[in-house]
Structure formats: C-alpha cells, structure tokens
Amino acid sequence: DQQVKQNSPSLSVQEGRISILNCDYTNSMFDYFLWYKKYPAEGPTFLISISSIKDKNEDGRFTVFLNKSAKHLSLHIVPSQPGDSAVYFCAATRGNTGKLIFGQGTTLQVKP
Amino acid sequence: NAGVTQTPKFQVLKTGQSMTLQCAQDMNHNSMYWYRQDPGMGLRLIYYSASEGTTDKGEVPNGYNVSRLNKREFSLRLESAAPSQTSVYFCASSESRITEAFFGQGTRLTVV
C-alpha cells in the first residue's frame, strides 16, 4: 500500500522555465510534508517542507503547495536551472514519530 | 563538517553471511534512522531511534537488527544476508522527530 505516490517517474524542462513536480498521498493523518533532492551516488538532501496547517511555503526558487482536500502537494521550481537536474522525493510524516514515508521519486532533467 | 558518515560505501556479501553497517553523526542529533532504497520504491524506513537508548521498527524491519551505541552512532546488522537485501542503505539523523533529516552518502550492498 503506497501511501505517498509520485506518479511521474521523469520530467524534462527547458532551462529558465518552470518545473512542477507532483505528489499524492492517501493517509489523511499526515501533517508534515517534505521534499528531498538526490544526486547520483549521494544521499538525499532536504529541500523544503510544509506543515498541514499551511497551503504554501516558499524558499527562493522553490515553492511547495499543499491541497489537503485533494491530498496533493506540488513542488514548483522557478526558474529551473541545469543544476536542478536530480531525483526529487516527496515525503510525509505524522505527529512526532519522525517516520518519513517517501514517494518513488521523480527524475528531473533541466536542459540548457 | 562531516555530518552523517556511513561505512562501508560498498559491500558484496554471500548469502548467509552477516555484516554490520556503521553510521555516525556529529551534529548532536537525537534521532537517527536507517532507510533502504530500491528501484521504483523510494526510500523505506527499516528502523529508527528517537533518542539514545531507544529503537523502533519501521516499515521493513525483517532481517535486520539495530544498535544505538551512543548518541552519535547507530548501527544496522544483517545476521544472515539474503539476495532480497541487495539495496542501497542510507543512515539519517535529525535534531528531533519533527525536523528534517540529514542523510549519509549511502552503502551499496549486494548479496549474491
């Protein structure tokens, strides 16, 4: 039972354009959501997070949107840069368990 | 400025052999985690330790044991390796159970 799903395995965008990565979840008890970025042969690095009491969080070029009624979140990267090319994982957790449930990941390629 | 350090980086085991994956963090974090990453599956939590002296099972604990040796170190042991345990293993730590986790570079384990 995949509680967090990233249905697009890959995404390709042109440099300077917007990248939109999507994530759906099924467990309404999740109250904190995170995005991680992963380069090959490295561990994931934290990118941005959002609490379930908010619907938007922004950090520089990265914005995460949360639609609780649809159980959907998205990561917007504007403008996209070639260095953003990586695998992006969304993750969710509830309460103070610290247990992150990850999606399968989306590989983003930003073309120069 | 090491962060989370995992050893070894690569390992090949024969079925039935045992080994311990080591993890140490220098950020004085309370919580530590072990994840495995398999193709198309994202990262799945094996075990976690919310604080020194405590450990709890994650999503996929079968076939593994852990030890929280002290606040810095959290080891993962495979008592009798199986081919299904071929994976990339990531250790992570966080200040608390509700803050973002920092990951090590991973251990690529192959069981033949």
Side-chain angles (χ1 to χ4, degrees):
Chain A
D1 176 30
Q2 192 84 21
Q3 296 186 68
V4 179
K5 296 181 183 179
Q6 294 175 257
N7 292 317
S8 298
S10 62
L11 175 67
S12 181
V13 301
Q14 209 66 35
E15 180 179 8
R17 306 294 291 267
I18 184 171
S19 296
I20 300 176
L21 295 95
N22 294 302
C23 180
D24 297 297
Y25 62 96
T26 58
N27 190 340
S28 58
M29 299 297 290
F30 288 142
D31 56 9
Y32 194 61
F33 304 89
L34 308 91
W35 284 93
Y36 282 82
K37 180 168 81 171
K38 185 182 179 305
Y39 293 117
E42 294 185 10
T45 54
F46 171 72
L47 200 55
I48 192 170
S49 62
I50 187 167
S51 165
S52 61
I53 62 173
K54 296 185 175 181
D55 54 19
K56 177 182 174 181
N57 188 27
E58 196 170 350
D59 184 2
R61 296 186 296 114
F62 303 92
T63 303
V64 56
F65 296 92
L66 176 63
N67 182 333
K68 283 177 59 180
S69 61
K71 296 192 179 67
H72 177 84
L73 64 154
S74 60
L75 175 68
H76 292 210
I77 306 173
V78 184
S80 300
Q81 299 174 354
D84 296 330
S85 297
V87 179
Y88 289 79
F89 291 99
C90 69
T93 187
R94 68 179 177 92
N96 61 351
T97 65
K99 296 180 180 182
L100 291 176
I101 306 297
F102 282 85
Q104 308 96 309
T106 296
T107 300
L108 173 65
Q109 182 184 25
V110 181
K111 297 180 178 178
Chain B
N1 216 21
V4 179
T5 303
Q6 293 182 232
T7 54
K9 289 187 169 45
F10 301 94
Q11 184 71 49
V12 178
L13 286 179
K14 293 183 178 179
T15 298
Q17 286 185 317
S18 62
M19 80 161 294
T20 300
L21 281 64
Q22 307 287 353
C23 175
Q25 51 92 8
D26 61 3
M27 296 174 282
N28 201 37
H29 285 168
N30 289 309
S31 301
M32 297 186 74
Y33 314 85
W34 276 105
Y35 289 88
R36 60 178 287 175
Q37 184 192 6
D38 302 295
M41 300 288 287
L43 286 85
R44 293 181 292 170
L45 182 64
I46 304 170
Y47 269 95
Y48 72 105
S49 171
S51 60
E52 187 179 353
T54 68
T55 60
D56 265 303
K57 296 178 180 179
E59 297 174 79
V60 288
N62 291 343
Y64 305 96
N65 285 303
V66 290
S67 294
R68 184 74 183 267
L69 304 170
N70 47 55
K71 192 171 185 179
R72 288 187 65 246
E73 299 172 289
F74 189 39
S75 62
L76 178 72
R77 182 160 179 83
L78 286 72
E79 290 291 351
S80 179
S84 60
Q85 294 178 305
T86 293
S87 187
V88 181
Y89 291 85
F90 290 100
C91 177
S93 70
S94 62
E95 187 174 318
S96 74
R97 288 174 287 183
I98 58 171
T99 54
E100 66 270 17
F102 294 80
F103 284 80
Q105 288 197 312
T107 296
R108 185 173 294 274
L109 176 67
T110 303
V111 183
V112 297

PDB file of all heavy atoms in Angstrom, chain B residues 18-44:
ATOM      1  N   SER B  18      26.997 -12.476   7.537  1.00  0.00           N
ATOM      2  CA  SER B  18      26.494 -11.381   8.361  1.00  0.00           C
ATOM      3  C   SER B  18      27.417 -10.172   8.213  1.00  0.00           C
ATOM      4  O   SER B  18      28.585 -10.308   7.834  1.00  0.00           O
ATOM      5  CB  SER B  18      26.424 -11.805   9.832  1.00  0.00           C
ATOM      6  OG  SER B  18      27.719 -12.113  10.309  1.00  0.00           O
ATOM      7  N   MET B  19      26.862  -9.018   8.483  1.00  0.00           N
ATOM      8  CA  MET B  19      27.685  -7.817   8.491  1.00  0.00           C
ATOM      9  C   MET B  19      26.947  -6.698   9.218  1.00  0.00           C
ATOM     10  O   MET B  19      25.728  -6.747   9.405  1.00  0.00           O
ATOM     11  CB  MET B  19      28.044  -7.351   7.091  1.00  0.00           C
ATOM     12  CG  MET B  19      26.988  -6.574   6.373  1.00  0.00           C
ATOM     13  SD  MET B  19      27.665  -5.612   4.994  1.00  0.00           S
ATOM     14  CE  MET B  19      28.686  -4.423   5.835  1.00  0.00           C
ATOM     15  N   THR B  20      27.725  -5.699   9.620  1.00  0.00           N
ATOM     16  CA  THR B  20      27.176  -4.534  10.305  1.00  0.00           C
ATOM     17  C   THR B  20      27.513  -3.281   9.520  1.00  0.00           C
ATOM     18  O   THR B  20      28.673  -3.060   9.163  1.00  0.00           O
ATOM     19  CB  THR B  20      27.737  -4.420  11.729  1.00  0.00           C
ATOM     20  OG1 THR B  20      27.389  -5.589  12.477  1.00  0.00           O
ATOM     21  CG2 THR B  20      27.164  -3.192  12.436  1.00  0.00           C
ATOM     22  N   LEU B  21      26.508  -2.485   9.239  1.00  0.00           N
ATOM     23  CA  LEU B  21      26.697  -1.181   8.618  1.00  0.00           C
ATOM     24  C   LEU B  21      26.798  -0.144   9.740  1.00  0.00           C
ATOM     25  O   LEU B  21      25.963  -0.107  10.645  1.00  0.00           O
ATOM     26  CB  LEU B  21      25.527  -0.837   7.700  1.00  0.00           C
ATOM     27  CG  LEU B  21      25.489  -1.458   6.316  1.00  0.00           C
ATOM     28  CD1 LEU B  21      25.354  -2.967   6.384  1.00  0.00           C
ATOM     29  CD2 LEU B  21      24.348  -0.870   5.505  1.00  0.00           C
ATOM     30  N   GLN B  22      27.840   0.681   9.629  1.00  0.00           N
ATOM     31  CA  GLN B  22      28.092   1.664  10.671  1.00  0.00           C
ATOM     32  C   GLN B  22      27.608   3.047  10.241  1.00  0.00           C
ATOM     33  O   GLN B  22      27.668   3.397   9.062  1.00  0.00           O
ATOM     34  CB  GLN B  22      29.592   1.737  10.979  1.00  0.00           C
ATOM     35  CG  GLN B  22      30.244   0.408  11.301  1.00  0.00           C
ATOM     36  CD  GLN B  22      29.868  -0.126  12.673  1.00  0.00           C
ATOM     37  OE1 GLN B  22      29.211   0.554  13.464  1.00  0.00           O
ATOM     38  NE2 GLN B  22      30.294  -1.345  12.964  1.00  0.00           N
ATOM     39  N   CYS B  23      27.134   3.800  11.200  1.00  0.00           N
ATOM     40  CA  CYS B  23      26.687   5.167  10.947  1.00  0.00           C
ATOM     41  C   CYS B  23      27.042   6.040  12.139  1.00  0.00           C
ATOM     42  O   CYS B  23      26.800   5.639  13.295  1.00  0.00           O
ATOM     43  CB  CYS B  23      25.190   5.208  10.703  1.00  0.00           C
ATOM     44  SG  CYS B  23      24.521   6.869  10.521  1.00  0.00           S
ATOM     45  N   ALA B  24      27.598   7.198  11.871  1.00  0.00           N
ATOM     46  CA  ALA B  24      27.913   8.146  12.935  1.00  0.00           C
ATOM     47  C   ALA B  24      27.560   9.556  12.479  1.00  0.00           C
ATOM     48  O   ALA B  24      27.766   9.899  11.320  1.00  0.00           O
ATOM     49  CB  ALA B  24      29.386   8.059  13.308  1.00  0.00           C
ATOM     50  N   GLN B  25      27.027  10.353  13.405  1.00  0.00           N
ATOM     51  CA  GLN B  25      26.707  11.749  13.083  1.00  0.00           C
ATOM     52  C   GLN B  25      27.378  12.656  14.112  1.00  0.00           C
ATOM     53  O   GLN B  25      27.510  12.302  15.280  1.00  0.00           O
ATOM     54  CB  GLN B  25      25.194  11.973  13.033  1.00  0.00           C
ATOM     55  CG  GLN B  25      24.403  11.488  14.232  1.00  0.00           C
ATOM     56  CD  GLN B  25      24.184  12.523  15.314  1.00  0.00           C
ATOM     57  OE1 GLN B  25      24.504  13.707  15.154  1.00  0.00           O
ATOM     58  NE2 GLN B  25      23.616  12.084  16.438  1.00  0.00           N
ATOM     59  N   ASP B  26      27.781  13.825  13.637  1.00  0.00           N
ATOM     60  CA  ASP B  26      28.498  14.762  14.512  1.00  0.00           C
ATOM     61  C   ASP B  26      27.700  16.043  14.728  1.00  0.00           C
ATOM     62  O   ASP B  26      28.268  17.090  15.028  1.00  0.00           O
ATOM     63  CB  ASP B  26      29.889  15.054  13.955  1.00  0.00           C
ATOM     64  CG  ASP B  26      29.850  15.706  12.579  1.00  0.00           C
ATOM     65  OD1 ASP B  26      28.739  15.996  12.075  1.00  0.00           O
ATOM     66  OD2 ASP B  26      30.926  15.920  11.998  1.00  0.00           O
ATOM     67  N   MET B  27      26.389  15.970  14.565  1.00  0.00           N
ATOM     68  CA  MET B  27      25.543  17.159  14.681  1.00  0.00           C
ATOM     69  C   MET B  27      24.788  17.185  16.015  1.00  0.00           C
ATOM     70  O   MET B  27      23.904  18.029  16.198  1.00  0.00           O
ATOM     71  CB  MET B  27      24.566  17.199  13.503  1.00  0.00           C
ATOM     72  CG  MET B  27      25.276  17.361  12.170  1.00  0.00           C
ATOM     73  SD  MET B  27      24.177  17.229  10.740  1.00  0.00           S
ATOM     74  CE  MET B  27      23.978  15.464  10.660  1.00  0.00           C
ATOM     75  N   ASN B  28      25.112  16.256  16.908  1.00  0.00           N
ATOM     76  CA  ASN B  28      24.459  16.168  18.218  1.00  0.00           C
ATOM     77  C   ASN B  28      22.942  15.958  18.088  1.00  0.00           C
ATOM     78  O   ASN B  28      22.158  16.445  18.907  1.00  0.00           O
ATOM     79  CB  ASN B  28      24.748  17.422  19.050  1.00  0.00           C
ATOM     80  CG  ASN B  28      24.555  17.167  20.542  1.00  0.00           C
ATOM     81  OD1 ASN B  28      24.863  16.087  21.036  1.00  0.00           O
ATOM     82  ND2 ASN B  28      24.052  18.160  21.256  1.00  0.00           N
ATOM     83  N   HIS B  29      22.552  15.227  17.043  1.00  0.00           N
ATOM     84  CA  HIS B  29      21.134  14.969  16.832  1.00  0.00           C
ATOM     85  C   HIS B  29      20.627  13.861  17.745  1.00  0.00           C
ATOM     86  O   HIS B  29      21.344  12.918  18.068  1.00  0.00           O
ATOM     87  CB  HIS B  29      20.884  14.571  15.373  1.00  0.00           C
ATOM     88  CG  HIS B  29      20.945  15.723  14.440  1.00  0.00           C
ATOM     89  ND1 HIS B  29      20.994  15.567  13.058  1.00  0.00           N
ATOM     90  CD2 HIS B  29      20.951  17.060  14.657  1.00  0.00           C
ATOM     91  CE1 HIS B  29      21.016  16.749  12.485  1.00  0.00           C
ATOM     92  NE2 HIS B  29      20.995  17.674  13.433  1.00  0.00           N
ATOM     93  N   ASN B  30      19.373  13.983  18.122  1.00  0.00           N
ATOM     94  CA  ASN B  30      18.782  12.961  18.993  1.00  0.00           C
ATOM     95  C   ASN B  30      18.290  11.744  18.214  1.00  0.00           C
ATOM     96  O   ASN B  30      18.394  10.623  18.679  1.00  0.00           O
ATOM     97  CB  ASN B  30      17.607  13.557  19.776  1.00  0.00           C
ATOM     98  CG  ASN B  30      18.065  14.528  20.829  1.00  0.00           C
ATOM     99  OD1 ASN B  30      18.939  14.218  21.642  1.00  0.00           O
ATOM    100  ND2 ASN B  30      17.502  15.722  20.823  1.00  0.00           N
ATOM    101  N   SER B  31      17.712  11.987  17.043  1.00  0.00           N
ATOM    102  CA  SER B  31      17.058  10.905  16.307  1.00  0.00           C
ATOM    103  C   SER B  31      17.920  10.417  15.154  1.00  0.00           C
ATOM    104  O   SER B  31      18.557  11.213  14.460  1.00  0.00           O
ATOM    105  CB  SER B  31      15.713  11.387  15.757  1.00  0.00           C
ATOM    106  OG  SER B  31      14.864  11.810  16.806  1.00  0.00           O
ATOM    107  N   MET B  32      17.925   9.100  14.966  1.00  0.00           N
ATOM    108  CA  MET B  32      18.678   8.506  13.862  1.00  0.00           C
ATOM    109  C   MET B  32      17.823   7.439  13.191  1.00  0.00           C
ATOM    110  O   MET B  32      16.935   6.840  13.816  1.00  0.00           O
ATOM    111  CB  MET B  32      20.007   7.925  14.356  1.00  0.00           C
ATOM    112  CG  MET B  32      20.938   8.989  14.930  1.00  0.00           C
ATOM    113  SD  MET B  32      22.581   8.377  15.355  1.00  0.00           S
ATOM    114  CE  MET B  32      23.310   8.181  13.716  1.00  0.00           C
ATOM    115  N   TYR B  33      18.103   7.199  11.896  1.00  0.00           N
ATOM    116  CA  TYR B  33      17.254   6.344  11.070  1.00  0.00           C
ATOM    117  C   TYR B  33      18.096   5.501  10.113  1.00  0.00           C
ATOM    118  O   TYR B  33      19.173   5.922   9.693  1.00  0.00           O
ATOM    119  CB  TYR B  33      16.298   7.202  10.224  1.00  0.00           C
ATOM    120  CG  TYR B  33      15.609   8.310  10.977  1.00  0.00           C
ATOM    121  CD1 TYR B  33      16.223   9.542  11.154  1.00  0.00           C
ATOM    122  CD2 TYR B  33      14.342   8.111  11.510  1.00  0.00           C
ATOM    123  CE1 TYR B  33      15.586  10.559  11.851  1.00  0.00           C
ATOM    124  CE2 TYR B  33      13.695   9.128  12.199  1.00  0.00           C
ATOM    125  CZ  TYR B  33      14.327  10.343  12.371  1.00  0.00           C
ATOM    126  OH  TYR B  33      13.695  11.350  13.060  1.00  0.00           O
ATOM    127  N   TRP B  34      17.542   4.359   9.747  1.00  0.00           N
ATOM    128  CA  TRP B  34      18.092   3.561   8.661  1.00  0.00           C
ATOM    129  C   TRP B  34      16.992   3.356   7.611  1.00  0.00           C
ATOM    130  O   TRP B  34      15.882   2.913   7.942  1.00  0.00           O
ATOM    131  CB  TRP B  34      18.583   2.196   9.133  1.00  0.00           C
ATOM    132  CG  TRP B  34      19.962   2.227   9.693  1.00  0.00           C
ATOM    133  CD1 TRP B  34      20.340   2.165  10.997  1.00  0.00           C
ATOM    134  CD2 TRP B  34      21.185   2.308   8.937  1.00  0.00           C
ATOM    135  NE1 TRP B  34      21.711   2.214  11.107  1.00  0.00           N
ATOM    136  CE2 TRP B  34      22.251   2.303   9.857  1.00  0.00           C
ATOM    137  CE3 TRP B  34      21.472   2.386   7.572  1.00  0.00           C
ATOM    138  CZ2 TRP B  34      23.584   2.366   9.465  1.00  0.00           C
ATOM    139  CZ3 TRP B  34      22.790   2.454   7.188  1.00  0.00           C
ATOM    140  CH2 TRP B  34      23.838   2.441   8.123  1.00  0.00           C
ATOM    141  N   TYR B  35      17.331   3.702   6.351  1.00  0.00           N
ATOM    142  CA  TYR B  35      16.436   3.506   5.220  1.00  0.00           C
ATOM    143  C   TYR B  35      17.123   2.602   4.198  1.00  0.00           C
ATOM    144  O   TYR B  35      18.339   2.536   4.123  1.00  0.00           O
ATOM    145  CB  TYR B  35      16.123   4.834   4.531  1.00  0.00           C
ATOM    146  CG  TYR B  35      15.229   5.764   5.303  1.00  0.00           C
ATOM    147  CD1 TYR B  35      15.767   6.673   6.209  1.00  0.00           C
ATOM    148  CD2 TYR B  35      13.854   5.757   5.113  1.00  0.00           C
ATOM    149  CE1 TYR B  35      14.952   7.542   6.913  1.00  0.00           C
ATOM    150  CE2 TYR B  35      13.029   6.626   5.807  1.00  0.00           C
ATOM    151  CZ  TYR B  35      13.586   7.514   6.713  1.00  0.00           C
ATOM    152  OH  TYR B  35      12.779   8.380   7.407  1.00  0.00           O
ATOM    153  N   ARG B  36      16.305   1.979   3.368  1.00  0.00           N
ATOM    154  CA  ARG B  36      16.821   1.308   2.192  1.00  0.00           C
ATOM    155  C   ARG B  36      16.118   1.881   0.964  1.00  0.00           C
ATOM    156  O   ARG B  36      14.930   2.246   1.030  1.00  0.00           O
ATOM    157  CB  ARG B  36      16.663  -0.210   2.265  1.00  0.00           C
ATOM    158  CG  ARG B  36      15.266  -0.719   2.389  1.00  0.00           C
ATOM    159  CD  ARG B  36      15.230  -2.259   2.397  1.00  0.00           C
ATOM    160  NE  ARG B  36      15.502  -2.828   1.078  1.00  0.00           N
ATOM    161  CZ  ARG B  36      15.622  -4.126   0.828  1.00  0.00           C
ATOM    162  NH1 ARG B  36      15.518  -5.006   1.819  1.00  0.00           N
ATOM    163  NH2 ARG B  36      15.857  -4.562  -0.395  1.00  0.00           N
ATOM    164  N   GLN B  37      16.887   1.972  -0.132  1.00  0.00           N
ATOM    165  CA  GLN B  37      16.320   2.472  -1.372  1.00  0.00           C
ATOM    166  C   GLN B  37      16.425   1.405  -2.439  1.00  0.00           C
ATOM    167  O   GLN B  37      17.525   0.916  -2.743  1.00  0.00           O
ATOM    168  CB  GLN B  37      17.039   3.734  -1.863  1.00  0.00           C
ATOM    169  CG  GLN B  37      16.384   4.308  -3.111  1.00  0.00           C
ATOM    170  CD  GLN B  37      17.208   5.369  -3.799  1.00  0.00           C
ATOM    171  OE1 GLN B  37      18.343   5.637  -3.439  1.00  0.00           O
ATOM    172  NE2 GLN B  37      16.620   6.005  -4.791  1.00  0.00           N
ATOM    173  N   ASP B  38      15.306   1.060  -3.009  1.00  0.00           N
ATOM    174  CA  ASP B  38      15.249   0.095  -4.094  1.00  0.00           C
ATOM    175  C   ASP B  38      14.619   0.751  -5.310  1.00  0.00           C
ATOM    176  O   ASP B  38      13.784   1.659  -5.161  1.00  0.00           O
ATOM    177  CB  ASP B  38      14.421  -1.127  -3.671  1.00  0.00           C
ATOM    178  CG  ASP B  38      14.993  -1.797  -2.437  1.00  0.00           C
ATOM    179  OD1 ASP B  38      16.118  -2.324  -2.548  1.00  0.00           O
ATOM    180  OD2 ASP B  38      14.349  -1.771  -1.368  1.00  0.00           O
ATOM    181  N   PRO B  39      14.995   0.312  -6.515  1.00  0.00           N
ATOM    182  CA  PRO B  39      14.459   0.929  -7.738  1.00  0.00           C
ATOM    183  C   PRO B  39      12.934   0.945  -7.743  1.00  0.00           C
ATOM    184  O   PRO B  39      12.292  -0.069  -7.462  1.00  0.00           O
ATOM    185  CB  PRO B  39      15.006   0.023  -8.846  1.00  0.00           C
ATOM    186  CG  PRO B  39      16.233  -0.586  -8.257  1.00  0.00           C
ATOM    187  CD  PRO B  39      15.947  -0.770  -6.803  1.00  0.00           C
ATOM    188  N   GLY B  40      12.365   2.120  -8.035  1.00  0.00           N
ATOM    189  CA  GLY B  40      10.913   2.247  -8.122  1.00  0.00           C
ATOM    190  C   GLY B  40      10.181   2.232  -6.798  1.00  0.00           C
ATOM    191  O   GLY B  40       8.949   2.249  -6.771  1.00  0.00           O
ATOM    192  N   MET B  41      10.933   2.175  -5.683  1.00  0.00           N
ATOM    193  CA  MET B  41      10.278   2.045  -4.373  1.00  0.00           C
ATOM    194  C   MET B  41      10.508   3.252  -3.480  1.00  0.00           C
ATOM    195  O   MET B  41       9.965   3.316  -2.390  1.00  0.00           O
ATOM    196  CB  MET B  41      10.795   0.802  -3.644  1.00  0.00           C
ATOM    197  CG  MET B  41      10.561  -0.487  -4.358  1.00  0.00           C
ATOM    198  SD  MET B  41       8.824  -0.964  -4.318  1.00  0.00           S
ATOM    199  CE  MET B  41       8.649  -1.458  -2.612  1.00  0.00           C
ATOM    200  N   GLY B  42      11.312   4.194  -3.891  1.00  0.00           N
ATOM    201  CA  GLY B  42      11.629   5.280  -2.979  1.00  0.00           C
ATOM    202  C   GLY B  42      12.484   4.769  -1.835  1.00  0.00           C
ATOM    203  O   GLY B  42      13.147   3.742  -1.935  1.00  0.00           O
ATOM    204  N   LEU B  43      12.457   5.474  -0.719  1.00  0.00           N
ATOM    205  CA  LEU B  43      13.187   5.053   0.468  1.00  0.00           C
ATOM    206  C   LEU B  43      12.192   4.495   1.475  1.00  0.00           C
ATOM    207  O   LEU B  43      11.121   5.063   1.692  1.00  0.00           O
ATOM    208  CB  LEU B  43      13.932   6.233   1.101  1.00  0.00           C
ATOM    209  CG  LEU B  43      15.181   6.722   0.380  1.00  0.00           C
ATOM    210  CD1 LEU B  43      14.845   7.699  -0.722  1.00  0.00           C
ATOM    211  CD2 LEU B  43      16.134   7.391   1.375  1.00  0.00           C
ATOM    212  N   ARG B  44      12.545   3.399   2.094  1.00  0.00           N
ATOM    213  CA  ARG B  44      11.681   2.779   3.098  1.00  0.00           C
ATOM    214  C   ARG B  44      12.424   2.664   4.419  1.00  0.00           C
ATOM    215  O   ARG B  44      13.583   2.247   4.456  1.00  0.00           O
ATOM    216  CB  ARG B  44      11.212   1.412   2.616  1.00  0.00           C
ATOM    217  CG  ARG B  44      10.263   1.464   1.412  1.00  0.00           C
ATOM    218  CD  ARG B  44       9.819   0.078   0.993  1.00  0.00           C
ATOM    219  NE  ARG B  44      10.920  -0.693   0.454  1.00  0.00           N
ATOM    220  CZ  ARG B  44      10.851  -1.994   0.194  1.00  0.00           C
ATOM    221  NH1 ARG B  44       9.747  -2.663   0.455  1.00  0.00           N
ATOM    222  NH2 ARG B  44      11.906  -2.627  -0.309  1.00  0.00           N
TER     223      ARG B  44
END
